Amino acid sequence: MKKIIWTCDTEIGELGNGVENAYDIFVLGKVKGKEVGIHYINETAHKYGATIHHFIDVYQPKYSRQIIDACERIIADGHSIGLHTHPSLMYGKRYMYEYSLSEQQKIIEYGQNFFEKHLGYLPNSHRAGGYGADENTIFALESAGIKIDSSYYHNNGYCHLPQMSVNSIQQCCGTNVLEMPVSVFGIKKTLFGIPIWKNVMWQKLDFRYGASVKDILTVIDSAQDQSVFVLFLHSFNFLHIIYNFNKGQFCDISVANSLLEDYEYLLSEIYKRKNCIFSRLDDYAGDVIGNQYIVNRGFSFLSAIRRKFQRTSFV
Protein backbone atom coordinates (compact mmCIF):
# COMPACT_ATOMS: atom_id res chain seq x y z
CA MET A 1 0.00 0.00 0.00
CA LYS A 2 1.06 3.57 -0.65
CA LYS A 3 0.91 5.65 2.53
CA ILE A 4 -0.40 9.22 2.39
CA ILE A 5 0.44 11.50 5.33
CA TRP A 6 -1.26 14.90 5.54
CA THR A 7 0.62 17.63 7.40
CA CYS A 8 -0.42 21.21 8.13
CA ASP A 9 1.79 24.09 9.25
CA THR A 10 -0.53 25.73 11.76
CA GLU A 11 0.69 29.27 12.13
CA ILE A 12 -0.06 32.94 11.76
CA GLY A 13 2.89 33.34 9.42
CA GLU A 14 5.55 36.03 9.22
CA LEU A 15 3.31 38.54 7.44
CA GLY A 16 0.48 38.09 9.93
CA ASN A 17 2.35 39.44 12.95
CA GLY A 18 0.71 42.64 14.08
CA VAL A 19 -2.60 42.00 12.30
CA GLU A 20 -5.64 42.40 14.54
CA ASN A 21 -7.34 39.06 15.23
CA ALA A 22 -4.50 37.32 13.37
CA TYR A 23 -5.15 33.95 15.00
CA ASP A 24 -8.81 33.96 14.03
CA ILE A 25 -7.88 34.80 10.44
CA PHE A 26 -4.75 32.78 9.68
CA VAL A 27 -5.31 29.73 11.89
CA LEU A 28 -9.08 29.43 12.27
CA GLY A 29 -9.75 30.89 8.83
CA LYS A 30 -12.56 33.16 9.96
CA VAL A 31 -13.11 35.50 7.03
CA LYS A 32 -16.24 37.30 5.83
CA GLY A 33 -18.65 35.09 7.73
CA LYS A 34 -16.98 31.80 6.83
CA GLU A 35 -14.53 29.53 8.65
CA VAL A 36 -12.06 27.62 6.47
CA GLY A 37 -9.08 27.09 8.78
CA ILE A 38 -7.80 24.15 10.77
CA HIS A 39 -11.17 22.82 11.93
CA TYR A 40 -12.53 22.87 8.39
CA ILE A 41 -9.34 21.09 7.27
CA ASN A 42 -9.78 18.42 9.94
CA GLU A 43 -13.50 17.89 9.44
CA THR A 44 -13.13 17.54 5.68
CA ALA A 45 -10.24 15.06 6.04
CA HIS A 46 -12.27 13.04 8.55
CA LYS A 47 -15.00 12.44 5.95
CA TYR A 48 -12.47 10.43 3.95
CA GLY A 49 -10.81 8.64 6.84
CA ALA A 50 -7.73 10.88 6.85
CA THR A 51 -6.05 12.53 9.81
CA ILE A 52 -4.03 15.74 9.78
CA HIS A 53 -0.72 16.16 11.58
CA HIS A 54 -0.50 19.80 12.67
CA PHE A 55 2.90 21.37 13.21
CA ILE A 56 1.99 24.06 15.74
CA ASP A 57 3.77 27.40 16.00
CA VAL A 58 3.67 28.13 19.74
CA TYR A 59 6.00 31.13 19.57
CA GLN A 60 3.15 33.65 19.69
CA PRO A 61 2.70 34.49 23.41
CA LYS A 62 -0.14 36.90 22.64
CA TYR A 63 -2.23 33.99 21.40
CA SER A 64 -1.26 31.30 23.93
CA ARG A 65 -4.85 30.72 25.07
CA GLN A 66 -6.09 30.32 21.49
CA ILE A 67 -3.21 27.96 20.67
CA ILE A 68 -4.06 25.77 23.68
CA ASP A 69 -7.76 25.69 22.77
CA ALA A 70 -6.94 24.79 19.16
CA CYS A 71 -4.57 21.98 20.22
CA GLU A 72 -7.12 20.51 22.62
CA ARG A 73 -9.74 20.38 19.88
CA ILE A 74 -7.29 18.96 17.30
CA ILE A 75 -6.46 16.09 19.65
CA ALA A 76 -10.08 15.57 20.74
CA ASP A 77 -11.09 15.30 17.08
CA GLY A 78 -8.58 12.50 16.50
CA HIS A 79 -5.80 14.42 14.79
CA SER A 80 -2.24 14.97 16.00
CA ILE A 81 0.25 17.73 16.76
CA GLY A 82 3.96 18.41 16.58
CA LEU A 83 6.25 21.40 17.13
CA HIS A 84 6.70 24.09 14.46
CA THR A 85 9.58 26.48 15.14
CA HIS A 86 9.01 30.05 13.94
CA PRO A 87 11.33 31.77 16.43
CA SER A 88 11.56 35.30 15.02
CA LEU A 89 8.92 36.99 17.18
CA MET A 90 10.47 35.79 20.44
CA TYR A 91 14.14 35.40 19.57
CA GLY A 92 14.79 37.85 16.72
CA LYS A 93 16.04 35.78 13.80
CA ARG A 94 13.77 34.05 11.30
CA TYR A 95 15.35 30.64 10.58
CA MET A 96 16.60 27.97 12.95
CA TYR A 97 19.93 27.66 11.10
CA GLU A 98 20.70 31.25 12.15
CA TYR A 99 20.98 30.12 15.78
CA SER A 100 23.75 28.20 17.56
CA LEU A 101 23.17 24.71 18.92
CA SER A 102 22.59 25.99 22.46
CA GLU A 103 20.17 28.65 21.20
CA GLN A 104 18.23 26.10 19.19
CA GLN A 105 18.05 23.85 22.24
CA LYS A 106 16.46 26.72 24.20
CA ILE A 107 13.95 27.41 21.41
CA ILE A 108 12.90 23.76 21.26
CA GLU A 109 12.84 23.52 25.07
CA TYR A 110 10.38 26.43 25.16
CA GLY A 111 8.10 24.60 22.73
CA GLN A 112 8.27 21.37 24.71
CA ASN A 113 7.56 23.15 27.97
CA PHE A 114 4.57 24.89 26.40
CA PHE A 115 3.02 21.59 25.31
CA GLU A 116 3.80 19.80 28.56
CA LYS A 117 2.52 22.61 30.80
CA HIS A 118 -0.74 23.28 28.98
CA LEU A 119 -1.55 19.92 27.38
CA GLY A 120 0.38 17.34 29.39
CA TYR A 121 1.95 16.27 26.12
CA LEU A 122 5.50 16.12 24.78
CA PRO A 123 5.70 16.47 20.99
CA ASN A 124 7.38 13.64 19.10
CA SER A 125 7.84 15.54 15.84
CA HIS A 126 9.12 18.85 14.50
CA ARG A 127 9.22 21.00 11.39
CA ALA A 128 11.34 24.14 11.10
CA GLY A 129 9.60 27.25 9.81
CA GLY A 130 10.57 27.96 6.21
CA TYR A 131 12.32 24.54 6.18
CA GLY A 132 15.22 26.43 7.80
CA ALA A 133 16.81 23.58 9.75
CA ASP A 134 20.48 22.60 9.86
CA GLU A 135 22.53 19.89 11.55
CA ASN A 136 22.32 21.68 14.89
CA THR A 137 18.53 21.50 14.67
CA ILE A 138 18.74 17.73 14.44
CA PHE A 139 21.22 17.56 17.33
CA ALA A 140 18.92 19.77 19.42
CA LEU A 141 15.92 17.58 18.59
CA GLU A 142 17.79 14.43 19.61
CA SER A 143 18.84 15.97 22.93
CA ALA A 144 15.19 16.92 23.52
CA GLY A 145 13.98 13.39 22.76
CA ILE A 146 12.03 14.37 19.62
CA LYS A 147 12.20 11.42 17.24
CA ILE A 148 10.86 12.73 13.91
CA ASP A 149 11.80 15.78 11.88
CA SER A 150 10.02 16.90 8.69
CA SER A 151 12.02 19.95 7.66
CA TYR A 152 13.98 18.63 4.69
CA TYR A 153 12.91 20.14 1.37
CA HIS A 154 15.14 18.95 -1.45
CA ASN A 155 17.13 21.76 -3.10
CA ASN A 156 15.33 24.49 -1.17
CA GLY A 157 17.68 27.36 -0.45
CA TYR A 158 16.46 27.88 3.12
CA CYS A 159 16.94 24.24 4.11
CA HIS A 160 20.48 23.86 5.43
CA LEU A 161 20.31 20.16 6.25
CA PRO A 162 22.88 17.96 4.49
CA GLN A 163 21.86 16.85 1.00
CA MET A 164 19.79 13.66 1.06
CA SER A 165 18.44 11.36 -1.61
CA VAL A 166 15.17 12.65 -3.00
CA ASN A 167 12.17 11.58 -0.88
CA SER A 168 14.33 9.28 1.26
CA ILE A 169 13.14 8.64 4.82
CA GLN A 170 16.15 7.91 7.01
CA GLN A 171 18.02 8.69 10.20
CA CYS A 172 19.58 12.14 9.87
CA CYS A 173 23.04 13.54 10.70
CA GLY A 174 24.20 10.37 12.43
CA THR A 175 21.45 10.64 15.07
CA ASN A 176 18.38 8.59 15.92
CA VAL A 177 16.13 11.37 14.59
CA LEU A 178 14.12 10.12 11.63
CA GLU A 179 13.94 12.63 8.77
CA MET A 180 10.60 12.47 6.98
CA PRO A 181 11.14 14.98 4.21
CA VAL A 182 8.51 17.10 2.56
CA SER A 183 7.68 14.95 -0.49
CA VAL A 184 8.73 16.53 -3.77
CA PHE A 185 8.55 15.86 -7.48
CA GLY A 186 10.55 17.27 -10.37
CA ILE A 187 8.96 19.53 -12.96
CA LYS A 188 10.33 19.81 -16.47
CA LYS A 189 8.80 22.77 -18.23
CA THR A 190 7.91 22.13 -21.86
CA LEU A 191 6.42 24.18 -24.66
CA PHE A 192 4.78 22.15 -27.44
CA GLY A 193 6.60 19.13 -26.01
CA ILE A 194 10.02 20.81 -26.20
CA PRO A 195 11.93 21.39 -22.92
CA ILE A 196 12.17 25.12 -22.11
CA TRP A 197 15.19 24.64 -19.83
CA LYS A 198 17.42 21.79 -18.69
CA ASN A 199 17.12 21.97 -14.93
CA VAL A 200 14.45 20.15 -12.97
CA MET A 201 12.50 22.33 -10.53
CA TRP A 202 11.67 20.46 -7.31
CA GLN A 203 8.16 21.12 -6.07
CA LYS A 204 6.46 19.96 -2.87
CA LEU A 205 3.09 18.20 -2.97
CA ASP A 206 1.19 21.35 -2.08
CA PHE A 207 -1.75 22.40 -4.27
CA ARG A 208 -1.67 25.96 -2.90
CA TYR A 209 1.96 26.64 -3.74
CA GLY A 210 3.02 25.39 -7.16
CA ALA A 211 1.58 21.90 -7.57
CA SER A 212 -1.78 21.06 -9.08
CA VAL A 213 -4.10 18.30 -7.92
CA LYS A 214 -3.37 16.57 -11.23
CA ASP A 215 0.38 16.74 -10.49
CA ILE A 216 -0.09 15.20 -7.05
CA LEU A 217 -2.28 12.35 -8.30
CA THR A 218 0.12 11.68 -11.18
CA VAL A 219 3.01 11.39 -8.73
CA ILE A 220 1.07 9.08 -6.40
CA ASP A 221 -0.08 6.86 -9.28
CA SER A 222 3.44 6.56 -10.71
CA ALA A 223 4.98 5.53 -7.39
CA GLN A 224 5.95 2.02 -6.43
CA ASP A 225 4.14 0.09 -3.73
CA GLN A 226 5.08 0.97 -0.11
CA SER A 227 5.94 4.56 -1.07
CA VAL A 228 5.26 7.21 1.56
CA PHE A 229 4.07 10.71 0.71
CA VAL A 230 4.13 13.71 3.04
CA LEU A 231 1.51 16.17 1.73
CA PHE A 232 1.51 19.81 2.70
CA LEU A 233 -1.09 22.31 3.90
CA HIS A 234 -1.09 25.58 5.82
CA SER A 235 -3.73 26.66 8.30
CA PHE A 236 -4.45 29.62 5.98
CA ASN A 237 -4.51 27.29 2.97
CA PHE A 238 -7.95 28.38 1.79
CA LEU A 239 -7.51 32.12 2.01
CA HIS A 240 -6.89 34.36 -0.99
CA ILE A 241 -4.54 36.98 0.39
CA ILE A 242 -3.56 40.26 -1.27
CA TYR A 243 -0.60 41.95 0.44
CA ASN A 244 0.97 45.32 -0.35
CA PHE A 245 4.68 45.21 0.48
CA ASN A 246 5.12 48.97 -0.07
CA LYS A 247 2.51 49.76 2.58
CA GLY A 248 3.31 46.69 4.69
CA GLN A 249 -0.33 45.71 5.00
CA PHE A 250 -3.00 43.36 3.71
CA CYS A 251 -5.31 44.83 1.09
CA ASP A 252 -7.88 42.05 1.13
CA ILE A 253 -8.39 38.55 2.52
CA SER A 254 -11.16 36.34 1.18
CA VAL A 255 -11.99 32.64 0.77
CA ALA A 256 -10.27 30.86 -2.14
CA ASN A 257 -13.20 28.70 -3.24
CA SER A 258 -11.25 26.91 -5.97
CA LEU A 259 -8.80 25.61 -3.36
CA LEU A 260 -11.67 24.28 -1.23
CA GLU A 261 -12.80 22.32 -4.27
CA ASP A 262 -9.25 21.08 -4.94
CA TYR A 263 -8.89 19.82 -1.37
CA GLU A 264 -12.12 17.85 -1.36
CA TYR A 265 -11.42 16.43 -4.82
CA LEU A 266 -7.87 15.36 -3.89
CA LEU A 267 -9.06 13.66 -0.70
CA SER A 268 -11.83 11.85 -2.56
CA GLU A 269 -9.52 10.69 -5.37
CA ILE A 270 -6.93 9.30 -2.96
CA TYR A 271 -9.72 7.63 -0.96
CA LYS A 272 -10.95 5.86 -4.11
CA ARG A 273 -7.55 4.33 -4.84
CA LYS A 274 -7.45 0.80 -3.45
CA ASN A 275 -3.64 0.83 -3.28
CA CYS A 276 -3.50 3.96 -1.07
CA ILE A 277 -4.08 4.40 2.64
CA PHE A 278 -4.11 7.51 4.80
CA SER A 279 -1.46 7.20 7.50
CA ARG A 280 -0.29 9.13 10.56
CA LEU A 281 3.14 10.73 10.80
CA ASP A 282 3.68 9.86 14.46
CA ASP A 283 3.06 6.16 13.78
CA TYR A 284 5.74 5.86 11.14
CA ALA A 285 8.94 3.84 11.55
CA GLY A 286 11.39 2.46 9.01
CA ASP A 287 13.42 3.59 6.03
CA VAL A 288 12.14 4.06 2.51
CA ILE A 289 14.39 4.32 -0.51
CA GLY A 290 13.77 7.66 -2.19
CA ASN A 291 12.10 7.92 -5.56
CA GLN A 292 12.47 10.73 -8.07
CA TYR A 293 9.13 11.58 -9.62
CA ILE A 294 9.25 13.76 -12.74
CA VAL A 295 6.22 15.48 -14.25
CA ASN A 296 6.47 17.02 -17.72
CA ARG A 297 4.30 20.10 -17.50
CA GLY A 298 3.42 22.06 -20.62
CA PHE A 299 3.46 25.78 -20.03
CA SER A 300 -0.02 27.30 -19.78
CA PHE A 301 -0.74 30.99 -19.25
CA LEU A 302 -4.22 30.15 -17.95
CA SER A 303 -2.81 27.74 -15.34
CA ALA A 304 -0.21 30.30 -14.27
CA ILE A 305 -2.89 32.99 -13.85
CA ARG A 306 -5.17 30.61 -11.91
CA ARG A 307 -2.39 29.67 -9.48
CA LYS A 308 -1.61 33.35 -8.90
CA PHE A 309 -5.15 34.36 -8.04
CA GLN A 310 -6.07 31.39 -5.86
CA ARG A 311 -3.49 32.06 -3.17
CA THR A 312 -1.30 35.00 -2.07
CA SER A 313 -0.87 37.99 -4.35
CA PHE A 314 1.64 40.76 -3.76
CA VAL A 315 1.06 44.28 -5.02
Side-chain angles (χ1 to χ4, degrees):
M1 297 290 282
K2 302 173 188 181
K3 298 178 181 178
I4 315 297
I5 298 170
W6 282 95
T7 66
C8 179
D9 285 6
T10 297
E11 63 184 46
I12 290 172
E14 299 289 339
L15 295 178
N17 289 326
V19 175
E20 187 177 357
N21 299 321
Y23 205 82
D24 284 350
I25 296 170
F26 297 104
V27 176
L28 302 182
K30 293 183 177 180
V31 174
K32 298 182 179 179
K34 295 185 178 180
E35 184 172 336
V36 294
I38 57 172
H39 302 312
Y40 166 82
I41 289 170
N42 292 347
E43 289 165 6
T44 306
H46 181 73
K47 291 195 299 184
Y48 298 96
T51 58
I52 307 295
H53 189 82
H54 291 266
F55 288 104
I56 309 288
D57 175 12
V58 299
Y59 302 91
Q60 297 275 350
K62 178 180 177 181
Y63 296 105
S64 291
R65 184 65 257 171
Q66 291 97 316
I67 294 170
I68 296 164
D69 292 344
C71 288
E72 288 176 341
R73 181 167 168 184
I74 288 168
I75 294 170
D77 289 345
H79 303 273
S80 53
I81 59 177
L83 178 62
H84 191 35
T85 46
H86 268 289
S88 61
L89 186 64
M90 292 183 61
Y91 299 93
K93 290 174 283 192
R94 182 171 184 176
Y95 298 105
M96 289 293 278
Y97 67 75
E98 298 179 278
Y99 298 88
S100 67
L101 173 59
S102 61
E103 288 171 333
Q104 291 197 46
Q105 287 173 324
K106 290 177 182 177
I107 293 168
I108 290 168
E109 182 181 18
Y110 173 88
Q112 283 191 304
N113 289 342
F114 182 94
F115 281 119
E116 187 171 32
K117 176 181 178 180
H118 298 293
L119 300 167
Y121 172 87
L122 281 173
N124 194 38
S125 58
H126 165 266
R127 177 177 285 156
Y131 326 104
D134 65 0
E135 285 185 292
N136 281 335
T137 311
I138 303 300
F139 299 147
L141 292 173
E142 183 176 52
S143 67
I146 294 177
K147 297 180 180 179
I148 298 173
D149 181 65
S150 186
S151 304
Y152 184 74
Y153 186 161
H154 189 71
N155 273 18
N156 182 280
Y158 297 110
C159 183
H160 285 216
L161 289 170
Q163 188 92 344
M164 295 170 55
S165 298
V166 178
N167 294 325
S168 179
I169 299 172
Q170 61 187 45
Q171 260 76 38
C172 188
C173 301
T175 70
N176 290 320
V177 176
L178 189 70
E179 184 60 43
M180 295 196 67
V182 175
S183 295
V184 296
F185 65 99
I187 297 175
K188 288 185 176 179
K189 288 286 189 180
T190 62
L191 185 62
F192 304 114
I194 301 171
I196 299 174
W197 62 76
K198 294 181 184 178
N199 294 336
V200 172
M201 180 179 72
W202 294 102
Q203 172 63 51
K204 59 183 175 175
L205 300 183
D206 180 344
F207 60 86
R208 177 182 173 88
Y209 292 111
S212 68
V213 170
K214 180 181 177 181
D215 290 334
I216 296 171
L217 292 173
T218 298
V219 168
I220 291 172
D221 289 340
S222 67
Q224 65 187 25
D225 194 32
Q226 302 302 318
S227 294
V228 178
F229 296 96
V230 178
L231 275 58
F232 208 104
L233 298 165
H234 283 89
S235 53
F236 49 82
N237 214 84
F238 303 110
L239 301 182
H240 179 215
I241 301 167
I242 300 177
Y243 187 82
N244 189 317
F245 267 114
N246 292 328
K247 296 181 179 179
Q249 65 185 31
F250 293 93
C251 302
D252 185 58
I253 301 174
S254 58
V255 175
N257 290 308
S258 63
L259 290 175
L260 297 176
E261 294 168 4
D262 283 348
Y263 182 47
E264 184 113 22
Y265 180 72
L266 181 55
L267 280 164
S268 67
E269 284 298 310
I270 295 172
Y271 178 76
K272 290 176 187 176
R273 284 158 166 75
K274 302 302 182 185
N275 62 347
C276 293
I277 186 171
F278 293 117
S279 188
R280 299 174 68 96
L281 185 140
D282 272 348
D283 293 340
Y284 189 79
D287 294 348
V288 172
I289 296 174
N291 292 288
Q292 296 191 25
Y293 309 110
I294 305 294
V295 174
N296 290 312
R297 181 192 284 172
F299 184 77
S300 165
F301 288 106
L302 290 176
S303 294
I305 291 170
R306 179 179 184 271
R307 283 193 293 273
K308 173 180 174 60
F309 284 102
Q310 71 183 3
R311 54 182 184 89
T312 306
S313 300
F314 302 108
V315 296

